[in-house]
Amino acid sequence: MPTVSVRRELLFQALGRSYTDEEFDELCFEFGLELDDVTSEKDIISKEKGEGKAEGASDTVLYKIDVPANRYDLLCLEGLVRGLQVFKERINLPRYEKIIPAKGEGQKLIITEETAKVRPHAVAAVLRNITFTKERYDSFIDLQEKLHQNICRRRALVAIGTHDLDTIAGPFTFTAKAPSEIKFKPLNQSQEYTAPQMMDLYRTDSHLRHYLHLIENKPLYPVIYDSNGVVLSMPPIINGDHSKINLNTRNVFVECTGTDMTKAKIVLDTIVTMFSEYCEKPFTVEAVEVILPNGKTHIYPELAYRKEKVKPEHINKKLGISETPSSLAKLLTRMCLKSHVIGNGNNIEIEIPPTRADIIHACDIVEDAAIAYGYNNIQMTIPKTYTIANQLPLNKLTELLRLDLAAAGFTEALTFALCSQEDIADKLGTDISSTKAVHIANPKTAEFQVARTTLLPGLLKTIAANRKMPLPLKLFEISDIVVKDPSKDVGARNYRHLCAVYYNKSPGFEIIHGLLDRVMQLLEVPPSEENGYVIKATEGSAFFPGRCAEIFAKGQSVGKLGEIGTCF
Amino acid sequence: MSPSVAELLLQRLEREPPGPGGGLCSLEAAAALGLDHQTLVGAVKSLQALGEVIEAEARAATRWELSEEGAEVLRAGSPEVRLFRSLPPEGLPHSDAMKLPGAQVGFSKAMANKWLRLDKAAPGGPRVFRAVEAVQDAVQDGLRRVQEGDAAALPERERNELKRRKLLLEVTLKSYWIRKGRAFSTAVARQETDLTPEMIATGSWRQLPFKPYNFSALGLPPSCGHLHPLLKVRSQLRQIFLEMGFTEMPTDNFVESSFWNFDALFQPQQHPARDQHDTFFLQDPAEAPELPASYMAKVKKVHSQGGYGSQGYKYEWKVEEARKNLLRTHTTSASARALYHLACQEKFTPVKYFSIDRVFRNESLDATHLAEFHQVEGVVADRGLTLGHLMGTLREFFTKLGITKLRFKPAYNPYTEPSMEVFSYHEGLKKWVEVGNSGVFRPELLLPMGLPENVSVIAWGLSLERPTMIKYGINNIRELVGHRVNLQMVYDSPLCRLDT
């Protein structure tokens, strides 16, 4: 869940009233946000780096607010305030307007076909006559970073570039070039670098190094030029220094490039709807013409308003409430979904604004009605669903057997299903290739290389970790192991295993043998070669020579028992 | 029958005058009676248990003794003196000198005392010479004085030096000063400890005195096996679901395809949870050999183009992504399989399902997070279920868990809408804490499976570890789950009674 950090003072100023921390926490809860922390820069620095380092840092109170992962419209102070003010009916939702400049006067972004293989999509828009302050500017930069980390999937799907339009001249060209042919002064650097030099430069950059892999091995790197050959940006890595924005910037050219067109459009809509508030004509955005390699032209931002119809009784039935159509329309309007009753009260027409890309189905509208109604105001009822309960036979048997194993004096262990290759192979004297083990592709440590194929290593490790306990130790576990099985739809399957160990200064084969006899007795398997169970001498790599037997039930091998060798 | 040690001690003590003046030292008494000191102390303890027959006061005395090495020095002289004496007047090459008796330990000491001189420039290599005519073995003298019982006369600095060289040992002796008690008597009646069949048969128990039991001591712990606390909680949760009429779903496949784990649940292919950072993907078997073809086509369509009233996510859905095998990140994949199975039935029947089993996350580990944990999940599918029904079901479920004060917060899950986090008021922490997650499954998930349009599915989930840690007061999850478990904690854990 993304966390947005806002200055309390600015937030309350924008909300037009102040709250106690408890009151604001309550408001967040109701709206589906979470006031995660009340802190300050000073607090954060002293927590991370020690108290000494925090001296002189600001002690302005910050609210850290957790925002649902699909609500891109709440990722900045501007959006949060707008959402909460509409929710509290203090303002009406603004209407975002796209201004299409007169023919020949608007900005153009031309996409060349070379981009197809590396980053095929681009959209753009212009924020005209914007007024930045320090706070607005910081929020603008923060929002881009939040979008990059979330919907943009760390810039893999979309990367954002914002530029001072007065320093560059359109039409702009989004193309892709061999890295060595790209040369410009990147943001906040004092000299020009070629693209390969930049890759080297940023290899140690704590922030930018995470994005290098997105284009590094491609033959061509994406790049945006203005009509004079000035580089705007080399997405998704870095912007040019030439066009960087500052507090005095009045006209901002916003471009989003990416591999996912839908998300690029959402990101552009989000940025311009949030910050057009500060334009001379608030909530207006100047459109940009994007010309595709095939010659087709699109106008961005989309700022599309979509109409949906939902029947009032559908909402009431889904939630278990009985509100009038007009009251439901009012609830939805409070969630930034402007609604009104149509067709003699039989239907509600809902307008989905461009900020609410998360609304993709009527069920999303139903949820918003529930939030505005207040989840905790809904009457709790017990469904009339009549069913007869059944246990899974395997689990039922496991539950019964656990109780009787404990009654036999053995203590239940609970060990990990994941372990190292060594645990299930080398340490038991077998080769990993003979285990049919399932292998994990991306383990962070050796502890998670494979799924266990036997419960034994876990029990032995449990003993090793509890050597301070009085002897003897008698442990058991009934749990699943995993092996490859091509006949299953996923190519692997679980088996339920029972494993028990006896640990003492003397071996006690007869004790573990006795437990086997007891288990067989509980399962009504008599000691008999033909119809029951027998144990027969065998050798096992994990066991002491001559001290290992194989268990046969009705002629089938079902397990082993013996004294564990000294090879561990 | 020869008199017992206690009787001998009492006889010896009888000769002492009563009052503060008279008494015996346990060390001396043991020596006088020719007994081991520990045996005598045993007798003192048993007499003390009888009441006020004797009084015994514990005393501690320290004494200096020569160590084994100290005794050797006393006999043969200190290593530095032995080295000095065996070095010929004309000196020796350094390497030869180091082979002389005492040289290994004594060389540096003799050099520090300036008894020896090392000429590094001598022809043929460094050579060692005597630097003084004669030396006094102060170490040996000191040890002799200790041996003669005169340790107290040795200056403390010297004594500590000998202790540092491990030649002297400081021994603490524990003894008792024994005096007659108020009820002193040499004829102490032996008290019986156990009632025997003979005593009952002969009736002698009527006359015999019995040693009183110490009722403030604990009894002998029974030898027994124990169930694991987490699995005790699991049993109770199964019980709760069964009481509520829920049927157990099969969950015995830790390995799952991305299709069932994500795609079937309408979780888009670029969702952060599908990142390498969060999920264990498999190298072998890397891909699921079999996916349900016609159902998969519907899933593909609803993701990429929408349908069933949905806009969809509008991206290029790839079957290669769906085939990728992983260790399931939630048991909701098993719920998806169960619901698909339900949808494949000829006629829909309402169901209530539950499961409790392991799930896996490739997360960073800390005191409350492990790479694997148990997920508890409940699912109800019926016509016309409402959000109010979900809340009512949750209220009944959590009440059985002993959690009564609930409230619900709007939340986001890719596969449920509406979604609610369940919070409960924690009396100890004096705040609301999250106890579970819940929601109504999205139509984009249910309709491609083929479930009737008017069927709603409500579901909720929670971890098994969290309520267990709260119930048993465990702060570090590693003490509860895995091989580093604290077995004593397992032995000592009480019954799992959740609603008390």
Side-chain angles (χ1 to χ4, degrees), chain A residues 1 25-26 29-34 68-70 153-154 157 260 262-263 306 308 317-320 359-364 366-367 370-371 375-376 378-392 394-396 398-399 402-403 406 409-418 437-444 447-448 452 458 461-462 465-466 468-469 472-473 475-477 479-480 482 484 486-494 496, chain B residues 224-228 230-232 234-235 238 242 245-257 260 266 270-272 275-277 279-285 287-290 308-315 325 327 337 350-352 358 360 362-365 370-372 374 380-382 385-389 391-393 395-396 407-412 417-421 423 442-444 456 481-488 490-491:
Chain A
M1 217 191 297
D25 180 56
E26 202 61 33
F29 194 96
E30 201 188 340
F31 192 57
L33 302 169
E34 200 169 327
N70 62 342
R153 301 294 305 122
R154 300 191 185 95
L157 303 181
D260 184 317
T262 310
K263 292 208 160 54
R306 187 174 95 237
E308 295 277 355
K317 258 168 61 187
K318 287 288 171 189
L319 298 179
I359 305 283
I360 57 174
H361 190 279
C363 67
D364 299 303
V366 170
E367 179 181 74
I371 295 172
Y375 276 12
N376 296 292
I378 296 173
Q379 184 73 38
M380 298 189 206
T381 45
I382 299 172
K384 300 215 167 2
T385 312
Y386 182 82
T387 52
I388 302 289
N390 278 306
Q391 304 185 51
L392 213 61
L394 182 65
N395 291 354
K396 190 174 183 177
T398 303
E399 286 290 284
R402 285 172 62 228
L403 289 175
F410 280 69
T411 290
E412 188 171 36
L414 174 64
T415 66
F416 296 128
L418 306 185
V438 162
H439 288 254
I440 293 165
N442 56 335
K444 280 185 186 145
E447 282 174 280
F448 311 118
R452 65 182 171 198
K461 288 201 282 187
T462 306
N466 281 280
K468 63 178 194 299
M469 295 299 291
L473 289 179
L475 300 179
F476 80 94
E477 183 170 13
S479 192
D480 285 3
V482 186
K484 284 188 281 179
S487 73
K488 300 292 284 186
D489 66 339
V490 293
R493 62 166 296 174
N494 286 20
R496 181 88 20 115
Chain B
C224 50
H226 308 264
L227 294 174
H228 192 281
L230 187 83
L231 302 179
K232 289 203 260 195
R234 184 181 72 180
S235 296
R238 284 183 90 246
L242 294 171
F246 282 65
T247 285
E248 200 166 21
M249 288 183 273
T251 49
D252 55 342
N253 61 310
F254 294 166
V255 174
E256 189 55 278
S257 59
W260 286 108
F266 197 52
Q270 316 85 355
H271 192 274
D275 239 35
Q276 299 272 323
H277 296 280
T279 301
F280 286 116
F281 286 93
L282 296 193
Q283 184 183 64
D284 184 22
E287 293 198 331
E290 199 187 314
Y308 313 103
S310 177
Q311 300 285 312
Y313 292 123
K314 298 180 184 148
Y315 70 98
N325 266 338
L327 292 172
R337 283 176 182 267
V351 294
K352 291 191 240 169
R358 288 182 203 240
F360 304 85
N362 196 7
E363 281 178 2
S364 16
L365 316 180
L370 290 173
E372 50 189 278
H374 291 73
V380 185
D382 199 356
L385 290 175
T386 68
L387 196 61
H389 285 136
M391 291 162 65
T393 307
R395 183 186 58 194
E396 297 306 313
R407 65 173 190 166
F408 303 92
K409 174 179 161 290
Y412 169 66
E417 192 84 5
S419 308
M420 312 191 290
E421 280 169 4
F423 280 72
R442 295 188 71 99
E444 292 99 323
S456 291
V481 183
H483 56 266
R484 277 182 284 251
V485 64
N486 176 353
L487 276 182
Q488 192 63 50
V490 176
Y491 291 174

Side-chain angles (χ1 to χ4, degrees), chain A residues 182-241:
Chain A
I182 302 171
K183 191 174 184 188
F184 65 100
K185 187 161 98 178
L187 193 63
N188 299 332
Q189 295 290 334
S190 52
Q191 63 174 94
E192 290 199 339
Y193 293 87
T194 64
Q197 285 170 337
M198 265 179 256
M199 292 308 226
D200 282 338
L201 179 67
Y202 295 131
R203 205 164 309 284
T204 52
D205 187 290
S206 64
H207 180 59
L208 294 178
R209 67 189 161 100
H210 302 292
Y211 311 122
L212 304 183
H213 73 99
L214 293 172
I215 57 167
E216 192 158 21
N217 297 319
K218 309 267 180 182
L220 304 179
Y221 287 3
V223 60
I224 304 176
Y225 292 99
D226 85 344
S227 59
N228 300 318
V230 172
V231 172
L232 274 66
S233 66
M234 183 176 80
I237 311 295
I238 190 87
N239 288 349
D241 194 64

Side-chain angles (χ1 to χ4, degrees), chain A residues 10 29 42 58 93 99-100 109 156 158 200 217 240 242 262 303 305 311 326 370 381 417 420 456 480 546 563:
Chain A
L10 287 178
F29 194 96
K42 198 171 191 169
S58 157
L93 181 69
I99 310 258
I100 298 177
L109 175 64
V158 186
D200 282 338
N217 297 319
H242 181 91
T262 310
L303 294 183
Y305 283 82
K311 292 202 181 307
S326 63
T381 45
S420 67
L456 186 58
D480 285 3
E563 291 164 18

